[in-house]
């Protein structure tokens, strides 16, 4: 390995580290918030469409049956999230 390659790899490592530092300082929190919001919206959608599984009849069963093949992979996660016990600290997180 020549001296220029060592410097270039050092520059690339420094650039990558700086990029990760900026991401951690500015973007990571926004990314986590966006993912959390997306998950909440998906669970709300499933509640509206498949609420009769939990005893909440909102949408007529015809439309629920039309959407069922698209929702089946997420039903177990959704039921676990909707039926789990909540604590006061969950609202703060």
């Amino acid at each position: 390995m020549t001296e220029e390659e060592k410097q270039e790899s050092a520059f690339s490592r420094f650039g990558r580290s700086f990029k990760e530092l900026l991401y951690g300082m500015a973007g990571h929190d926004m990314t986590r918030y966006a993912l959390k919001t997306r998950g909440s919206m998906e669970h709300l959608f499933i509640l509206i469409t498949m609420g009769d599984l939990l005893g909440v009849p909102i949408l007529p069963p015809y439309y629920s049956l039309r959407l069922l093949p698209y929702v089946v992979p997420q039903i177990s996660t959704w039921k676990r999230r909707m039926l789990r016990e909540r604590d006061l600290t969950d609202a703060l997180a």
Side-chain angles (χ1 to χ4, degrees), residues 16-32 35:
R16 186 179 52 220
S17 297
F18 186 70
K19 192 168 139 182
E20 290 175 356
L21 177 70
L22 282 179
Y23 171 74
M25 288 174 58
H28 181 67
D29 208 24
M30 289 188 292
T31 304
R32 286 189 56 211
L35 289 174

Side-chain angles (χ1 to χ4, degrees), residues 30-93:
M30 289 188 292
T31 304
R32 286 189 56 211
Y33 182 74
L35 289 174
K36 188 176 178 181
T37 303
R38 178 181 170 215
S40 296
M41 291 295 138
E42 285 181 356
H43 286 277
L44 182 63
F45 175 73
I46 295 173
L47 176 67
I48 291 171
T49 56
M50 301 293 160
D52 52 346
L53 292 174
L54 297 177
V56 183
I58 297 175
L59 200 64
Y62 172 76
Y63 298 111
S64 297
L65 288 175
R66 296 280 306 228
L67 294 171
L68 187 61
Y70 304 105
V71 178
V72 164
Q74 300 173 350
I75 284 181
S76 62
T77 307
W78 170 71
K79 281 177 108 177
R80 189 175 339 121
R81 182 177 179 196
M82 294 300 291
L83 298 176
R84 85 180 160 101
E85 291 185 26
R86 305 231 170 166
D87 192 3
L88 179 63
T89 56
D90 289 342
L92 300 175

